[in-house]
Each structure stands twice: as structure tokens, then as C-alpha cells.
Amino acid sequence: MKRNPYRYYSLFAWMGLFMIPGTVLFWGILGENIPPYSAALPADEFAAEIIANASKIRIGMIGQLWISFIYALWGFVISKVMEEVEVDNNLLSTVQRWGTGLTTLIFMLPCVIWLTVVYRPEQMDPQILQIFYDFGWLFFDNTFTLTSMAMITMGVCFLQDERPEPLIPAWVCWIAICSGISFVMEIFMPLFKSGAFSRSGLINYWIEFGLFFVYWWVTAIYLIKAINRLKREHANAA
């Protein structure tokens, strides 16, 4: 009997869904990133905050490093479902796969940088400590194009689904496209230390990351539904 071509799909899709609360816990709560420390904070005050919360941040960054690989697996299964829609080539799914895979590094590298910040903070000059922290956020925010291309190509691909009932609803696709495009606002982040466009500001933190987590959540849910549908169709055809 021919093996089910959709084996492992559901596993990877559910892993992507469960990574969301894990990221909120490790990266956000334990990592002191809800919101991050303001770039306008004086170096001495910043260093005092880091030293006081160093143990918690270490746990958060280690935990986030441990789960970040899941984002790549989740992205790979999205690209496989996209291939069900692409009938003439697999360009969009390939771009999405690369974008999501590289986004995994955007999750991981800043965690290593912030682990460096809390490794021996009491021995470092406060200004150097702050510069390392800034480096992590500059990398995290300003590599957004890699994430955007994955989100936009996913949305564009599923909008072309010619099924009477598309695998992914159009409104989910538009959330992905609009969220991916909105990340362009991050180009202003290096220019501001306070205000709406700073790393902890209304636009470049609360709105941008809020939209990203909405995209992540609804896409994860409807991806699982699409996979279940593909499995049923395959079973009926068999």
C-alpha cells in the first residue's frame, strides 16, 4: 500500500502552534522583552536592570534557543502545503521555505547576543553592555525582510488557490501579506531611541509584533485545518 504523503505534516504544524506560548514565556516574559528595555535608558540604569534580572534572562534565552528550530519545521510544512496550490512551478513555496528558515536565525542569533549580555554583566562597562543589547535588537528588528518575504509569498500563493473552498481562507492570506508589508516600518527603528518608532515604541514594537503574532496564530490554526483536509481527500481518493 502506498504510504501517506502527508505523514509528519500535522506534527510539524502543531509544533509551530505550541511554539507561540513558548516564545511568549521564554523570549517575552523571562527574557524581559515585553517590552524590551528602552534605548533611551541611561547606561548605568540599564546595567542595574540587567544585573538584577540576569538569571531570569539566561533561562529565557536558553529556552528560546531550544525551541527556535521549531519555526523552521513549521515553515517547511507551510511550503509543502503551498505546493498543493502551485500547479506550474514551486517558486513561491521555495521562497517561503527559505524565508522561514532564515527567520529561525533571526530568533536564535539575538538570543546568543543577549546571553552574552547576561553572562557576566557585573564585570562589563555599562556602556559596552548596552551596546551589545542594542546589537541584538538592531539585528532582530532590521532583518525583517527575510520574514516579510516568507509571509507575503505564503499569502500570495494561497490567494491563487482555485479550489471552490481554498485550503487557506483569503482573509488569512491578507493578514499575512499586510503584516509582512507592515514590517517596513522597522527601518525607522535605528533612528529613534524613544517614541513610537523605537524598539519599545507603539508602532515598532506593540503594533508590529502584535500583527506578527496574530499572523502566526491564525496561520497555524488554518494550516492544521488544511492538512486535515488534505489527509481526508487523500484517504477518499485511495
Side-chain angles (χ1 to χ4, degrees), residues 59-88:
I59 295 171
M61 293 303 103
I62 291 170
Q64 186 61 42
L65 277 170
W66 189 80
I67 66 172
S68 287
F69 78 97
I70 294 173
Y71 197 81
L73 301 183
W74 184 67
F76 295 163
V77 80
I78 292 176
S79 67
K80 294 301 292 182
V81 176
M82 288 170 65
E83 289 175 1
E84 299 288 332
V85 175
E86 293 179 308
V87 294
D88 48 1

Side-chain angles (χ1 to χ4, degrees), residues 99 106 141-150 183:
I106 298 175
D141 278 0
N142 285 276
T143 49
F144 67 88
T145 51
L146 298 171
T147 308
S148 292
M149 73 179 186
F183 274 133

Side-chain angles (χ1 to χ4, degrees), residues 86-104:
E86 293 179 308
V87 294
D88 48 1
N89 66 62
N90 66 344
L91 181 60
L92 292 178
S93 60
T94 301
V95 172
Q96 192 280 335
R97 184 181 297 116
W98 275 92
T100 311
L102 291 170
T103 296
T104 304

